Amino acid sequence: MLSQTAKILDGKALAQKIQRNLKEEIQTLQPKIGRPPGLAVLMVGDNPGSVVYVRNKEKSCAKVGIASFGRHFPTQTGADELEEVIAELNQDSRVDGILIQLPLPEHLDAIALLHQIKPEKDADGLHPMNMGRLVRGEAGLRSCTPAGVMALLSEYNLQVKGKQAVVVGRSILVGKPMALMLLEENATVTIAHSRSQNLAAITRGADILVAAVGKPDLITAEMVKPGAVVIDVGMNRVVDAQGNGRLVGDVDYAGVAQVAEYITPVPGGIGPMTVAMLLQNTVHSYRQSINHL
């Protein structure tokens, strides 16, 4: 096999740096506010991926000094009960951020529940009010995964302005806000998706290529422009013939690493950045609470 040429964008290292900064900020603010920041993660059911994510989020909270007000509900929990809990957390002055861990069981409407969260406590940046602020280029809480991508590009001083950016995927969680954030930094943005024709021709034009579809190894070396920056948001669990599971992204890492100039690994790329941005959003809301003292 040829040696890898692409430089790695280390999300894990940057996430640790952000967490250290947040920890210091919390230590400065806590005497003024009189309490630590609080994050409530609501999880329904026992999706194995969600269990791991929630555990990581709670560990990261503890590391920086954020109090966790997490609640775990049985799969069959109804919307009424969840709405009641959200209403209580909206009023709870100890809680700065509320997050609903997705995906939810099929009988629940995630969008309707997200609408119940106060926009200023929307730690995931998915409330229509915060999405609207992003569209208008106004300050507000930003969707965590695309915000993590932007922070990583900035950390490595990778120019976005004037570049051709292609986002593969159009979800409200990643694809759409990602395109808007790149646009805000003056990239020329194309969104590709499952109905796009000749995907390879679109992706080959990208100076910055973001893959956020949830399909293992969708992006191969011949779909990437030499010298491109490739950001892999995919987190797919694949099982080999021996029954061993591992995490892979949407990008064929081994192949693409020989064409791209920069690449994010999976795991250790965007995953840790998503959690860091969640903590950052929570601390942002906490900081605002000084104004209400």
Side-chain angles (χ1 to χ4, degrees), residues 243-262:
N244 302 314
R246 62 191 176 93
L247 276 179
V248 299
D250 290 350
V251 173
D252 168 23
Y253 185 88
V256 171
Q258 289 165 36
V259 184
E261 187 177 357
Y262 288 91

Side-chain angles (χ1 to χ4, degrees), residues 134-184:
L134 171 59
V135 171
R136 293 173 61 93
E138 295 171 1
L141 296 168
R142 295 290 192 246
S143 182
C144 298
T145 300
V149 172
M150 297 309 290
L152 199 52
L153 292 171
S154 168
E155 176 70 7
Y156 283 83
N157 295 315
L158 296 174
Q159 177 88 347
V160 176
K161 185 170 75 174
K163 299 291 183 186
Q164 296 286 338
V166 173
V167 179
V168 186
R170 54 177 164 181
S171 74
I172 200 71
L173 269 177
V174 182
K176 284 175 182 164
M178 184 77 256
L180 287 163
M181 287 181 204
L182 287 162
L183 191 59
E184 198 170 27

Side-chain angles (χ1 to χ4, degrees), residues 74-88:
T75 304
Q76 63 277 17
T77 305
D80 293 354
E81 187 181 337
L82 292 168
E83 284 180 15
E84 254 174 60
V85 171
I86 292 168
E88 282 167 27

Side-chain angles (χ1 to χ4, degrees), residues 196-261:
S196 299
Q197 296 186 355
N198 199 349
L199 181 62
I202 300 170
T203 57
R204 269 198 301 269
D207 302 310
I208 300 168
L209 177 59
V210 182
V213 203
K215 283 194 180 164
D217 299 342
L218 173 73
I219 305 294
T220 56
E222 53 278 4
M223 296 170 74
V224 176
K225 178 182 185 176
V229 175
V230 179
I231 306 282
D232 192 350
V233 178
M235 289 278 271
N236 312 294
R237 193 168 175 74
V238 295
V239 180
D240 64 19
Q242 284 73 45
N244 302 314
R246 62 191 176 93
L247 276 179
V248 299
D250 290 350
V251 173
D252 168 23
Y253 185 88
V256 171
Q258 289 165 36
V259 184
E261 187 177 357

